[in-house]
Amino acid sequence: MLASADSFSIVALAAIVGGLSWVTGFIYLNSSVQMLAPRDYAGRLMAFYQTANALGLAFGGWLWGMLADLFGLLPTLFLISAQSALLALLLTFGRTPRLKG
């Protein structure tokens, strides 16, 4: 959607929806790690999770930037969109851990 948009309104709406989805996903993941981690290791696991998260964001930004340099911005945005849609489908129909008790 963002890669093929000609209107600022569409881009702004996509940015708002994407940002809300991003924050919601991080809240869900943070809560899941905290709830599923054994109490004795919760602090260490959260530190590891946050470090892995920061490294993943930095590496992802570098990777998408390199792809944009190689192939151009629009093809890279379409690739990111396809990857995000595939990931959303996998997470929607995949298993998530359940708390016992």
Side-chain angles (χ1 to χ4, degrees):
M1 180 171 141
L2 183 62
S4 62
D6 292 331
S7 163
F8 176 76
S9 301
I10 292 173
V11 172
L13 180 64
I16 290 169
V17 171
L20 289 172
S21 300
W22 188 270
V23 170
T24 302
F26 275 122
I27 290 170
Y28 173 76
L29 291 173
N30 278 331
S31 300
S32 296
V33 170
Q34 289 178 11
M35 295 286 290
L36 295 172
R39 292 296 116 210
D40 294 344
Y41 302 107
R44 289 185 181 105
L45 288 173
M46 282 303 296
F48 178 77
Y49 163 73
Q50 293 292 342
T51 301
N53 193 6
L55 289 173
L57 288 172
F59 177 73
W62 173 80
L63 177 65
W64 293 122
M66 293 296 290
L67 289 174
D69 279 346
L70 288 172
F71 301 112
L73 183 60
L74 288 180
T76 303
L77 286 175
F78 277 115
L79 180 63
I80 291 169
S81 299
Q83 178 262 329
S84 297
L86 178 63
L87 183 62
L89 284 174
L90 289 173
L91 291 175
T92 299
F93 297 109
R95 265 191 55 174
T96 56
R98 302 281 184 230
L99 292 175
K100 295 177 183 174

